[in-house]
Amino acid sequence: MGLSTRKAGGRPTRERAAQLDDLLLDGARSTFCRKGVAATSVDEIALELGISKHTIYRRYPNKGALLEAVVERDIRRFKAALTSAAMGVADPLEAVRQTALRYFEIGSSRDYAAFYLSVSAEAAFSPALRHRLAAWSRMALESLVGAIASAQAAGLVLPGDPGVICEILVDLLEGANNRVRLRADETNNTAEPDRIFQARWMIFLRACGRVDGPPFTIPSQ
């Protein structure tokens, strides 16, 4: 696969080492998605990438460390996407909406769902992984929690623990994500995801604290 990363003296360049690491994480993530975390071995990942398993073990001592590296890279990217969604937005409540919309867009991806459903399935049988998954979730949602806290400070969302309010919003969005993924092959109507998101957003406003929220009627299917 053309994975040469070494200088003439035998040591990999920093750039090429980073490229190899990205390749390893991409390959591991793809295999975890397709086969599930429990059913994936480091040997299989190495075989699919066409590299020696020792190349992986030099960087990650076991499958758990490799999984953690994959998830932490995802979290960095996810947090950056959520943070950038509200950049330049002056209205604190609109900043929450834009951040929630980006969460919804990412979560509606089948690739995203396949990986995290695989991790969640493994976590059901692993207390240690459940603990890590909860920590990862808190890290990933820091931008959304912060946006909610700013809207509260502006008097646009009723008082309460912003983390709990974020959980309520995320619960609404997770159901919407699943609905979009299930309908993906049934319609080419690009407005459908927008309608699904907007319905959940309006419910969130009324249920969780838009002080002067507009009247809301549940849209017809």
Side-chain angles (χ1 to χ4, degrees):
M1 296 183 63
L3 297 182
S4 174
T5 65
R6 298 190 178 276
K7 301 178 184 177
R11 292 182 61 83
T13 66
R14 183 174 300 178
E15 179 183 1
R16 291 296 291 155
Q19 290 174 351
L20 175 58
D21 208 45
D22 269 342
L23 182 66
L24 292 180
L25 298 182
D26 287 344
R29 193 183 193 284
S30 176
T31 309
F32 288 143
C33 281
R34 190 174 64 259
K35 299 193 66 175
V37 173
T40 297
S41 69
V42 172
D43 286 31
E44 288 172 306
I45 294 169
L47 182 63
E48 294 207 8
L49 287 171
I51 61 177
S52 165
K53 66 182 179 181
H54 300 295
T55 300
I56 299 177
Y57 282 125
R58 279 196 295 269
R59 290 162 174 78
Y60 306 104
N62 51 51
K63 186 174 74 172
L66 180 57
L67 174 63
E68 182 139 348
V70 171
V71 174
E72 289 184 349
R73 186 184 64 163
D74 269 22
I75 289 172
R76 288 194 301 272
R77 293 174 174 177
F78 187 87
K79 288 178 66 176
L82 263 59
T83 299
S84 66
M87 288 182 65
V89 178
D91 180 348
L93 191 60
E94 178 61 17
V96 177
R97 194 185 79 84
Q98 291 294 335
T99 306
L101 178 58
R102 185 64 57 85
Y103 179 101
F104 170 72
E105 291 168 345
I106 296 172
S108 295
S109 160
R110 287 181 173 180
D111 173 74
Y112 174 92
F115 179 59
Y116 284 99
L117 287 174
S118 174
V119 175
S120 296
E122 180 80 355
F125 301 98
S126 168
L129 186 54
R130 283 200 301 276
H131 177 77
R132 292 299 296 136
L133 192 57
W136 289 331
S137 178
R138 287 192 297 272
M139 291 169 59
L141 293 172
E142 286 173 355
S143 296
L144 186 52
V145 172
I148 290 169
S150 295
Q152 287 178 314
L156 299 172
V157 173
L158 292 177
D161 184 335
V164 173
I165 294 174
C166 180
E167 289 175 358
I168 293 169
L169 178 53
V170 165
D171 287 347
L172 286 168
L173 295 178
E174 287 292 338
N177 290 152
N178 190 52
R179 189 168 296 279
V180 170
R181 290 192 298 264
L182 291 175
R183 292 187 179 186
D185 294 333
E186 297 176 11
T187 177
N188 292 319
N189 181 7
T190 56
E192 181 71 358
D194 292 340
R195 184 196 67 79
I196 290 173
F197 171 80
Q198 187 62 17
R200 274 67 182 175
W201 174 248
M202 296 298 290
I203 290 170
F204 171 75
L205 289 182
R206 299 303 293 162
C208 298
R210 174 68 187 271
V211 176
D212 59 343
F216 174 61
T217 301
I218 297 176
S220 59
Q221 293 290 337

